[in-house]
Amino acid sequence: MNKTNLEYDEAMSKCKDIFIKKMKDYGCAWRILRLSSLTDQIFIKAQRIRSIEMNDGHQKVGEDIRNEFIGIVNYSIIALIQLEKGIADQPDMETKEVEGFYQQFSLAANELMQAKNHDYGEAWREMRVSSLTDLILQKLLRVKQIEDNEGETLISEGIDANYFDMINYAIFALIKLK
């Protein structure tokens, strides 16, 4: 479990580093995005990964799929921030505030991972990256359905739980691709 914690922290640190650098380049322009737009952005990234996997790794755009998994982590955290704060009409957050939210949600994802990892006995280590991709896509389809249901569920977890799972599946994929 210590190995997992170290690998997890390393992967999350890389995601955060990229997120903060992009914040410095673009500010928080993403604050205007509705949740459905963020879901679709994550869907595009996951679908690209699946397409490359289904084509035996053949791709025409030279960007490594690791970058797509990093994007899934970061867009999922953005979605959690949007759930917490609501959308804005224009960028309205400074880097420090965003970093605080990033830390809050990455810690919550880590705590969830540790709890599930304990119960499932690190089963993810025996999984294929392609299965993690499929699970992310399944979570996205669930989120889209919940969004279509205006956030209402009868018995299922809410949107936030699905974003946390996507973060963890993407981090596991990054660990496995290392």
Side-chain angles (χ1 to χ4, degrees):
M1 188 69 153
N2 284 339
K3 180 181 177 191
T4 296
N5 290 336
L6 290 172
E7 291 172 321
Y8 188 98
D9 290 346
E10 182 181 310
M12 186 61 82
S13 178
K14 182 166 178 65
C15 294
K16 183 179 180 183
D17 181 59
I18 289 170
F19 183 89
I20 298 304
K21 285 177 180 170
K22 288 193 175 198
M23 271 288 298
K24 289 179 180 168
D25 286 348
Y26 303 128
C28 62
W30 49 265
R31 285 286 291 132
I32 67 154
L33 294 173
R34 291 172 280 192
L35 209 52
S36 57
S37 298
L38 290 164
T39 302
D40 287 343
Q41 184 64 38
I42 298 166
F43 181 81
I44 290 167
K45 293 188 169 303
Q47 190 59 47
R48 178 173 183 266
I49 295 165
R50 182 178 164 111
S51 176
I52 291 167
E53 290 170 346
M54 300 278 292
N55 288 315
D56 296 320
H58 180 73
Q59 61 187 48
K60 292 192 175 187
V61 176
E63 191 170 313
D64 192 326
I65 64 169
R66 279 177 231 153
N67 293 328
E68 303 296 357
F69 282 114
I70 290 168
I72 290 168
V73 170
N74 288 339
Y75 277 113
S76 294
I77 289 178
I78 287 171
L80 290 166
I81 294 170
Q82 295 293 72
L83 274 170
E84 176 95 5
K85 287 193 59 83
I87 63 169
D89 292 329
Q90 60 185 343
D92 63 349
M93 293 174 72
E94 297 297 321
T95 303
K96 274 258 190 259
E97 183 182 7
V98 174
E99 280 186 85
F101 277 109
Y102 196 101
Q103 188 69 15
Q104 172 190 334
F105 291 122
S106 63
L107 284 173
N110 185 295
E111 289 171 7
L112 177 65
M113 177 279 296
Q114 289 187 40
K116 287 188 175 185
N117 222 17
H118 175 271
D119 291 353
Y120 289 95
E122 295 206 321
W124 65 271
R125 290 210 179 261
E126 304 301 319
M127 294 174 66
R128 297 172 185 93
V129 172
S130 60
S131 295
L132 295 166
T133 303
D134 289 349
L135 288 170
I136 290 168
L137 282 164
Q138 177 194 37
K139 293 289 181 179
L140 285 161
L141 293 173
R142 288 178 179 183
V143 168
K144 284 182 172 200
Q145 184 61 53
I146 295 169
E147 289 171 350
D148 290 348
N149 293 342
E150 297 177 4
E152 296 295 319
T153 59
L154 299 175
I155 193 169
S156 304
E157 298 173 309
I159 289 175
D160 59 337
N162 287 284
Y163 283 121
F164 279 117
D165 284 344
M166 286 185 264
I167 290 168
N168 285 331
Y169 292 147
I171 292 288
F172 291 157
L174 288 167
I175 291 168
K176 291 183 81 59
L177 290 168
K178 186 175 164 189

